Amino acid sequence: GCQMKKDSKQFFAKAAISLGLLFPMHAPAMPKSGISPERLTCEYMKDPQVVDVSLPRLSWINVALEGEQGQGQAQSAWQVRVASSEEKLEKGETNLWDSKKVSNNQSTLIKYLGKPLSSRQQCWWQVRVWDKDGNPSEWSSPAYWGMGLLKKDDWKCKWIGAPWQGDEPVTKKNEKTPAPLLRKEFEITKEVASARVYVTGLGYFELYLNGKKVGDDVLVPNQTNYDNRKSLDGNPSEDDFQRHRIMYLSYDVKDMVRKGSNAIGAILGNGFYNVTSYLWVMPYGSPRFLGQLHITYTDGTEQVVVSDESWKASKSAILMDFIYHGEHYDARKEQPGWCIAGFDDSQWEQVAIRRAPRSALKAQTSPSDRVMEKYKPLKIEKLGEGHYKVDFGQQIAGWLHLIDVQGEPGRKIEIKYLPENAMNGVNTYTLRGGPPESYSARFTWFGFRAVELLNWPGELQSGQLQAEAVYTEVETTGNFECSNTLFNQINDIWQHSDNNNRHGSINLSDTPRERGGYTGDAVVRTVTEIHNFDVPAVLSKWIQDIADAQNSKTGYVPNAAPWQPIFGGGVGWGAAINVMPWEFYVHYGDKDILKSTFDAMKKYVGFMLQWVDKDGVLLSKITAANSDNHYHNLGDWCAPYALPLDDLVHTYIFWLCCDITAKTAGILNNPAEAKKYAALAEQT
């Protein structure tokens, strides 16, 4: 009887629907929202693989529909939902956070306020918004962020390095310093649910798993003030910096591991950690590696593979690599299969345990360098037997890629980067012989437009060369065009030059050869950077580098950051600690960066104040041992005509920093400080 009643109800319901009695045949559609959220970011990054702030900040950009419905649109409300997996998110299971509908127009830097996040937590999120008429949008496409290792005890691994090196740096450029290979084998016995590695290496590293390189980034991790150094010759700021940091990265490697035997390995480059002394640079220590691989099985158990004494080390085919001296590679010394399970490493040595740097490990929430552009030869000129000059028609920061070269074993090809410059260093490749060979440098870059090749085997073909531009990956978001073709050219050239000078998420190095992160350049170029490129993640990282390099006692901010003993600069260079955070706030609306740098701003004003005379005029007198005092007290620099007076420039910079500090105090609701610094600015 019950079944008959149920069937009867279904029959009459279907009949009623077909007759339009219960529901209209064409129900009125809900009004479509005039905006939709796109370009989701977490801490200014798209799908960051590792974040270590407890309350990550989420942002999106609202895009208006075309036509009348999209005109004059605005967001009136938003809703964010976060889940621990993409599958849960798609089902609407928001087990981490559901903000519910929040009625305001904020779409940037919204803090996550869900369940407390733990180390290695995976987070998937979506947002929907309501337009000015109260119409909700569809949910956005899913976005992602991954939490890093939040506690010191989460790091179970040890710093390891090559046993033929000590803890101390190599200081002689001609000393034999082959790049270390490190490896370890491990077993996987069950079905893998997830696999993620947390890793870093100093100065640079490449990670390998089962014969393949992990990730497509290069020259990682991003450069920072890694550690204390014993002696800083010529530095008006002894190594009494506010803090030191080392960036670590994370990669999803589930698709790279397999059931059975596996092998993990790394190659270490010297980078800026073991930079050889050259003019103004100083090293920290010998190369070292730190990493741990977390494998979670479908049954809920976990296996962790860590860097420790069980790893082995050997010398690679990279005979020498230094930032300012180039790279030598001998393919005859390659060890095929070195990062594949079953490789015979019986002749390898046990790794050495290295001293842990006195630094905080911080998640790299700033973009890495990558091969961003590729150029074919524009002109090839034969100068003699095996001797060629190749022009690529464009100034490039990167390296030359040799493709499918064949020749007898032991033939050394010399690559000279043009125009020649001592800071470019040298680059050679020695053939192993046999099948076609390809090569490009790994752990340094060169500034060049053309190359000269010596001892090339046979006739050079255009397809055998490719110039690769390498720089920190950011999107070009601003364009300029007018009726004056010269102005358009200047802007295009400037954008290209700027890309060449962006490495390690340091936005404004001096030149692709000099490679110094000059703070003075930041003072005059930050606004233009923001107008042209999507650089908040880069700038926030670099602002932290500058704040890190401030002298904790005197308030002095050096002329470059991350800091090397680069001579030169003046008060206009250190002013970056005031100017950059302020412009960042003006353009991105980020109060947090003002909060984190306000004390540094005040300290720098205090540093300058000691040089102000009774008339209110500032002329700094910074001194440093073994250095020309003039170059520490520059006013303007490299102007096209005569330079203005130093005391005029210095006094203006002092006023500017006082004014910015006063406005920052006002934004941070500190009226007493605002009044104090506004009065000092007015007096100046």
Side-chain angles (χ1 to χ4, degrees):
C2 293
Q3 185 63 45
M4 289 177 62
K5 289 179 182 179
K6 180 180 177 183
D7 292 343
S8 299
K9 287 179 180 179
Q10 290 177 344
F11 170 79
F12 287 115
K14 290 178 180 179
I17 290 172
S18 68
L19 296 172
L21 299 176
L22 292 182
F23 303 101
M25 291 296 291
H26 300 286
M30 290 289 291
K32 192 173 185 179
S33 176
I35 53 176
S36 62
E38 299 180 11
R39 296 173 65 94
L40 278 62
T41 60
C42 173
E43 290 299 319
Y44 295 117
M45 295 281 287
K46 180 182 178 182
D47 298 335
Q49 295 301 296
V50 62
V51 172
D52 60 0
V53 293
S54 58
L55 302 177
R57 299 171 302 170
L58 310 176
S59 305
W60 59 88
I61 291 177
N62 289 312
V63 177
L65 296 182
E66 293 184 3
E68 185 176 344
Q69 191 176 1
Q71 293 180 4
Q73 271 294 356
Q75 174 187 299
S76 62
W78 55 269
Q79 181 181 2
V80 167
R81 62 185 185 186
V82 186
S84 58
S85 71
E86 190 172 12
E87 293 74 22
K88 281 185 169 63
L89 190 67
E90 289 174 350
K91 296 176 182 177
E93 298 177 15
T94 53
N95 61 326
L96 293 179
W97 186 38
D98 185 346
S99 70
K100 308 299 182 182
K101 183 178 180 181
V102 179
S103 295
N104 66 40
N105 63 358
Q106 185 179 357
S107 60
T108 61
L109 305 174
I110 292 170
K111 288 187 177 179
Y112 168 88
L113 295 175
K115 293 180 180 178
L117 298 173
S118 58
S119 292
R120 302 189 292 114
Q121 175 71 62
Q122 308 299 296
C123 304
W124 294 86
W125 68 287
Q126 289 176 303
V127 60
R128 64 173 174 174
V129 296
W130 283 257
D131 67 12
K132 65 182 179 65
D133 300 313
N135 301 315
S137 72
E138 298 292 331
W139 286 101
S140 69
S141 297
Y144 170 84
W145 84 84
M147 298 302 292
L149 301 178
L150 306 181
K151 301 175 183 176
K152 189 175 182 179
D153 291 345
D154 291 332
W155 290 96
K156 308 300 183 185
C157 46
K158 299 177 182 178
W159 287 95
I160 59 175
W164 59 87
Q165 296 175 338
D167 251 323
E168 298 305 310
V170 176
T171 57
K172 296 178 182 178
K173 70 175 183 178
N174 293 322
E175 190 170 334
K176 296 297 182 182
T177 53
L181 297 176
L182 310 174
R183 76 181 304 272
K184 177 184 174 63
E185 294 193 18
F186 60 96
E187 294 290 323
I188 290 179
T189 58
K190 295 180 282 188
E191 186 179 352
V192 174
S194 65
R196 180 166 286 275
V197 65
Y198 301 86
V199 63
T200 191
L202 296 173
Y204 295 135
F205 76 95
E206 287 185 350
L207 182 68
Y208 288 81
L209 195 54
N210 291 328
K212 295 181 179 179
K213 181 176 180 288
V214 178
D216 62 354
D217 42 14
V218 298
L219 303 172
V220 290
N222 285 339
Q223 185 189 353
T224 52
N225 276 345
Y226 306 111
D227 198 358
N228 294 105
R229 282 167 282 190
K230 290 183 178 180
S231 173
L232 300 182
D233 295 337
N235 177 23
S237 173
E238 67 276 12
D239 195 347
D240 188 19
F241 299 140
Q242 292 284 357
R243 65 189 64 82
H244 300 86
R245 297 182 300 160
I246 293 173
M247 304 280 105
Y248 70 91
L249 298 96
S250 179
Y251 302 94
D252 181 351
V253 293
K254 179 187 175 184
D255 293 338
M256 300 183 73
V257 297
R258 60 195 179 212
K259 198 168 184 179
S261 298
N262 292 256
I264 187 171
I267 310 176
L268 297 182
N270 291 303
F272 285 97
Y273 190 75
N274 192 33
V275 62
T276 53
S277 296
Y278 185 87
L279 291 179
W280 50 74
V281 298
M282 293 185 69
Y284 297 82
S286 63
R288 57 204 64 199
F289 175 79
L290 183 78
Q292 58 192 52
L293 168 62
H294 289 259
I295 304 165
T296 303
Y297 296 113
T298 53
D299 64 5
T301 59
E302 185 179 82
Q303 178 182 356
V304 184
V305 180
V306 302
S307 56
D308 59 14
E309 301 90 339
S310 65
W311 288 52
K312 285 192 168 185
S314 183
K315 297 174 182 178
S316 74
I318 303 173
L319 303 184
M320 182 273 283
D321 67 278
F322 287 113
I323 287 290
Y324 293 97
H325 299 298
E327 183 173 306
H328 293 308
Y329 190 95
D330 188 343
R332 296 172 300 175
K333 296 183 179 297
E334 291 177 343
Q335 301 187 53
W338 69 273
C339 54
I340 295 176
F343 173 79
D344 181 7
D345 61 7
S346 58
Q347 300 303 308
W348 285 38
E349 303 176 61
Q350 296 301 127
V351 297
I353 299 299
R354 290 281 169 252
R355 176 186 63 81
R358 295 174 287 271
S359 312
L361 284 165
K362 300 295 292 181
Q364 182 172 300
T365 48
S366 53
S368 301
D369 284 20
R370 284 180 168 81
V371 174
M372 298 297 294
E373 297 169 89
K374 299 176 181 179
Y375 297 89
K376 293 298 183 183
L378 190 67
K379 180 182 178 182
I380 297 178
E381 181 182 0
K382 187 170 184 178
L383 304 178
E385 188 64 31
H387 189 187
Y388 295 88
K389 181 180 179 182
V390 184
D391 189 349
F392 292 94
Q394 183 67 273
Q395 184 71 20
I396 298 164
W399 47 60
L400 183 69
H401 191 166
L402 310 183
I403 303 170
D404 292 341
V405 184
Q406 282 187 286
E408 70 276 16
R411 177 185 283 264
K412 181 187 287 187
I413 300 170
E414 185 177 350
I415 306 166
K416 291 184 178 180
Y417 292 91
L418 306 174
E420 287 192 81
N421 185 287
M423 287 179 281
N424 244 342
V426 296
N427 194 195
T428 64
Y429 178 75
T430 302
L431 293 165
R432 67 174 173 270
E437 307 172 40
S438 297
Y439 164 79
S440 62
R442 271 189 173 90
F443 296 129
T444 187
W445 69 93
F446 309 88
F448 65 102
R449 170 186 167 131
V451 297
E452 187 178 348
L453 298 171
L454 290 88
N455 204 29
W456 186 267
E459 290 296 315
L460 174 63
Q461 304 299 316
S462 176
Q464 292 180 293
L465 298 179
Q466 182 171 272
E468 297 179 344
V470 178
Y471 50 86
T472 303
E473 182 182 30
V474 300
E475 183 181 354
T476 302
T477 51
N479 294 291
F480 170 84
E481 187 176 358
C482 71
S483 60
N484 187 310
T485 55
L486 177 60
F487 287 175
N488 294 338
Q489 273 188 306
I490 289 172
N491 192 72
D492 291 344
I493 291 168
W494 177 82
Q495 285 191 341
H496 181 80
S497 175
D498 201 72
N499 283 331
N500 280 344
N501 281 286
R502 188 185 305 110
H503 296 278
S505 272
I506 302 165
N507 209 45
L508 299 166
S509 68
D510 179 71
T511 68
R513 300 177 183 88
E514 202 163 313
R515 303 171 175 91
Y518 284 106
T519 48
D521 298 51
V523 169
V524 297
R525 288 165 59 188
T526 291
V527 172
T528 312
E529 290 290 319
I530 294 171
H531 289 177
N532 282 266
F533 300 103
D534 182 26
V535 288
V538 174
L539 288 179
S540 57
K541 180 264 182 187
W542 196 26
I543 289 169
Q544 184 63 63
D545 291 332
I546 296 169
D548 287 353
Q550 185 175 40
N551 186 292
S552 60
K553 293 190 184 77
T554 67
Y556 170 75
V557 175
N559 60 327
W563 193 81
Q564 288 287 353
I566 301 173
F567 64 83
V571 296
W573 276 249
I577 195 56
N578 299 72
V579 174
M580 287 182 70
W582 177 253
E583 294 296 351
F584 194 97
Y585 164 73
V586 167
H587 289 84
Y588 297 122
D590 188 343
K591 286 186 182 180
D592 290 339
I593 207 155
L594 295 182
K595 293 176 185 176
S596 66
T597 56
F598 183 51
D599 285 343
M601 291 184 188
K602 293 188 293 181
K603 284 182 180 179
Y604 191 62
V605 170
F607 169 79
M608 289 187 288
L609 192 59
Q610 67 180 311
W611 308 115
V612 177
D613 67 16
K614 60 182 177 59
D615 298 317
V617 175
L618 169 65
L619 182 60
S620 69
K621 299 174 184 177
I622 306 167
T623 59
N626 306 318
S627 177
D628 185 342
N629 185 49
H630 167 71
Y631 285 102
H632 284 293
N633 298 282
L634 299 175
D636 201 354
W637 182 244
C638 290
Y641 301 105
L643 293 169
L645 295 173
D646 288 350
D647 53 2
L648 172 62
V649 175
H650 289 186
T651 306
Y652 164 72
I653 292 295
F654 181 61
W655 166 82
L656 178 65
C657 291
C658 291
D659 182 60
I660 287 173
T661 306
K663 291 187 289 190
T664 298
I667 296 296
L668 299 180
N669 196 27
N670 191 331
E673 298 272 44
K675 183 178 180 181
K676 171 185 173 182
Y677 288 100
L680 190 54
E682 179 61 26
Q683 176 185 316
T684 304

